[in-house]
Amino acid sequence: METILIQLSFSMVGGLLMSRLAKLLNLPAVTAYLVAGLLLGPYCLGALQLTPLGFTTAEAVASLDIISQVALGFIAFTIGNEFRLEQLKSMGKQAITVGILQAVITTALVDVALVALHFINPDFISISSAITLGAIAAATAPAATLMVVRQYKADGPLTRLLLLVVAIDDAVGLVLFSASFGVAAALESGSINIVTVLVEPVIEIALSLVLGCLAGWVLYRVEKYFHSRSKRLSISIGFVLLTVGLSMVEFEAGGIHFGFSLLLVCMMTGTIFCNICDFSEELMARVDGWTTPLFVLFFVLSGAELDLKILANPLVLLIGVIYIIFRSLGKYLGSYGSCALTGCSESIKKHLGITLLPQAGVALGMALTAQQLADGAVVRNVVLFSVLVYELVGPALTKRSLVAAGEIHEEGKTSARKKNTPKAPIQFG
């Protein structure tokens, strides 16, 4: 226990110290936390077997996975609060159209590229792994995007559309992955299972939305019994923890697997709560302040999970580079085309795709499932390589795009948490 506490302490303090260096280099704090995690992970300080100062094994990092799951729950709950009725009325159709089309186009482009690689040399990658990687490519990391938006207080049409699209993207990615993985498994086994390909993904999404709606409504009803700000904050935290726990429940009935999506459950909880509760904005501001240390730990642990050994495998690097190139093209071209189709401004068309590049937890979860394939280890390693690249580069690109779109104010010498406003002149006499 004392070892875990010391490791968490070093993780948090190390991440925050690294963020000061990142500030000098004009990089987002998210990148600093990830780099700090790499340094504390099994391939840097951890390799020196300095147990309390770093994570000596991947298993040591994995043992703290509950922190990452809780952090993802709060991230999804926060993003769910962006789905306010006034915003949905103004850009709901745009967000849904862009969210679906860019994900589908990304999957199609990566599928074509990797299947072509298979026909060039079948030893490189199987068709089943190729189409599975195509589906994984659709997933976007909401955590990195949200942290950049929060750090720099970004606001504007691009930022608001981005947060909506990121939320929709994960639901679409879940359907695409379930269908693609079902087809991939059928190609290997020689028989297709309609229940796995079509029924179970739809059931998972439906159950997640229903559970999220119920949790959001119950949270509001419970909050009304309390008037103290601190007690309301405690109730909100307790309910997010409850929804994270419930979303991990899995069971089978009648030959069908039933489960929940953590992100969708917590997202829907936040959406329902913010739209029926008249004091939700004030409460969310307090929740945001409470979760900051949790998010620091989340990204440091994410950095510690990155496997540097994969960089020594030329085949993984080859497939990974192709995957990254065509996924990036898919996100950019898919976003540009769908934004043009829905009448978005030129600024949004140019920059939205770049802000959707970060990829992490959701993709890694999909890759874990994909390990059931014959060459599932290739899928996992390619995703690990892409996450390494996207998580270190993606937040900086997101910041750059939001700055170019005029939705991040220059920091100057003031805190990034406050907008720069000119001070009133001092009056004498």
Side-chain angles (χ1 to χ4, degrees):
M1 183 65 71
E2 65 273 12
T3 299
I4 293 176
L5 291 175
I6 293 172
Q7 287 174 334
L8 291 177
S9 174
F10 271 96
S11 297
M12 188 176 297
V13 175
L16 293 171
L17 290 175
M18 188 64 70
S19 70
R20 302 307 299 171
L21 177 60
K23 186 177 178 68
L24 295 176
L25 299 175
N26 206 26
L27 293 173
V30 177
T31 304
Y33 303 149
L34 291 164
V35 172
L38 274 175
L39 295 177
L40 292 171
Y43 306 102
C44 292
L45 277 177
L48 302 177
Q49 298 299 309
L50 302 175
T51 304
L53 305 183
F55 300 98
T56 56
T57 64
E59 289 73 21
V61 183
S63 67
L64 299 172
D65 186 58
I66 186 65
I67 294 177
S68 298
Q69 296 300 312
V70 171
L72 281 174
F74 278 101
I75 287 165
F77 183 69
T78 301
I79 291 178
N81 273 265
E82 299 298 323
F83 282 83
R84 295 182 181 272
L85 286 177
E86 57 268 24
Q87 288 197 15
L88 291 176
K89 288 177 182 177
S90 62
M91 57 175 58
K93 291 182 179 178
Q94 284 183 332
I96 293 172
T97 303
V98 174
I100 294 174
L101 286 182
Q102 58 82 23
V104 172
I105 290 171
T106 300
T107 294
L109 277 179
V110 175
D111 277 346
V112 169
L114 294 181
V115 169
L117 180 63
H118 165 78
F119 284 113
I120 292 172
N121 190 333
D123 293 333
F124 283 167
I125 188 171
S126 66
I127 290 184
S128 58
S129 293
I131 62 176
T132 301
L133 278 170
I136 293 174
T140 300
T145 302
L146 179 65
M147 284 295 285
V148 172
V149 169
R150 282 179 55 176
Q151 180 186 355
Y152 296 102
K153 298 298 181 184
D155 189 33
L158 173 60
T159 302
R160 290 191 286 271
L161 181 60
L162 168 62
L163 292 175
L164 295 177
V165 169
V166 165
I168 294 168
D169 182 87
D170 286 318
V172 177
L174 174 64
V175 174
L176 290 173
F177 174 76
S178 298
S180 296
F181 181 68
V183 172
L187 289 174
E188 292 191 348
S189 66
S191 62
I192 191 166
N193 188 337
I194 298 297
V195 172
T196 303
V197 175
L198 296 176
V199 177
E200 289 184 356
V202 174
I203 289 177
E204 181 172 334
I205 290 174
L207 287 177
S208 300
L209 295 179
V210 170
L211 177 58
C213 287
L214 180 62
W217 180 80
V218 174
L219 172 59
Y220 168 64
R221 300 301 300 180
V222 173
E223 293 278 17
K224 289 186 69 175
Y225 287 104
F226 298 90
H227 302 286
S228 164
R229 292 179 178 179
S230 59
K231 289 180 180 178
R232 283 179 169 175
L233 173 62
S234 299
I235 292 294
S236 299
I237 293 169
F239 258 80
V240 175
L241 294 176
L242 175 64
T243 53
V244 170
L246 291 175
S247 67
M248 295 179 179
V249 174
E250 296 181 357
F251 59 94
E252 286 193 13
I256 298 177
H257 176 267
F258 294 87
F260 302 92
S261 165
L262 183 152
L263 289 174
L264 288 182
V265 172
C266 296
M267 214 176 287
M268 183 56 66
T269 302
T271 299
I272 296 300
F273 179 68
C274 78
N275 281 291
I276 64 176
C277 179
D278 54 0
F279 52 83
S280 63
E281 288 194 40
E282 176 192 354
L283 189 55
M284 281 307 303
R286 295 176 66 81
V287 171
D288 287 346
W290 183 89
T291 55
T292 298
L294 181 63
F295 291 167
V296 173
L297 282 177
F298 169 75
F299 285 105
V300 173
L301 292 175
S302 296
E305 286 179 327
L306 297 177
D307 189 349
L308 298 183
K309 290 188 298 184
I310 58 175
L311 299 179
N313 189 330
L315 179 60
V316 170
L317 295 181
L318 171 65
I319 301 173
V321 168
I322 294 173
Y323 174 88
I324 289 171
I325 290 173
F326 282 89
R327 179 180 181 271
S328 301
L329 279 174
K331 287 294 180 183
Y332 186 81
L333 296 177
S335 297
Y336 192 97
S338 54
C339 284
L341 185 66
T342 55
C344 294
S345 68
E346 189 65 29
S347 177
I348 293 178
K349 286 191 291 185
K350 285 173 58 179
H351 299 296
L352 180 64
I354 296 174
T355 62
L356 293 174
L357 292 181
Q359 188 174 48
V362 178
L364 290 174
M366 293 176 177
L368 187 64
T369 301
Q371 283 189 276
Q372 300 172 32
L373 298 174
D375 57 349
V378 173
V379 175
R380 177 183 177 275
N381 288 335
V382 169
V383 173
L384 282 171
F385 173 65
S386 72
V387 167
L388 176 64
V389 174
Y390 279 127
E391 284 297 89
L392 294 177
V393 177
L397 293 177
T398 298
K399 177 197 172 185
R400 181 179 178 183
S401 295
L402 293 175
V403 169
E407 300 191 7
I408 288 180
H409 297 275
E410 290 296 329
E411 292 184 57
K413 296 182 179 180
T414 64
S415 169
R417 296 185 175 277
K418 299 178 181 179
K419 292 183 179 180
N420 294 331
T421 53
K423 293 182 178 180
I426 299 174
Q427 301 292 330
F428 296 94

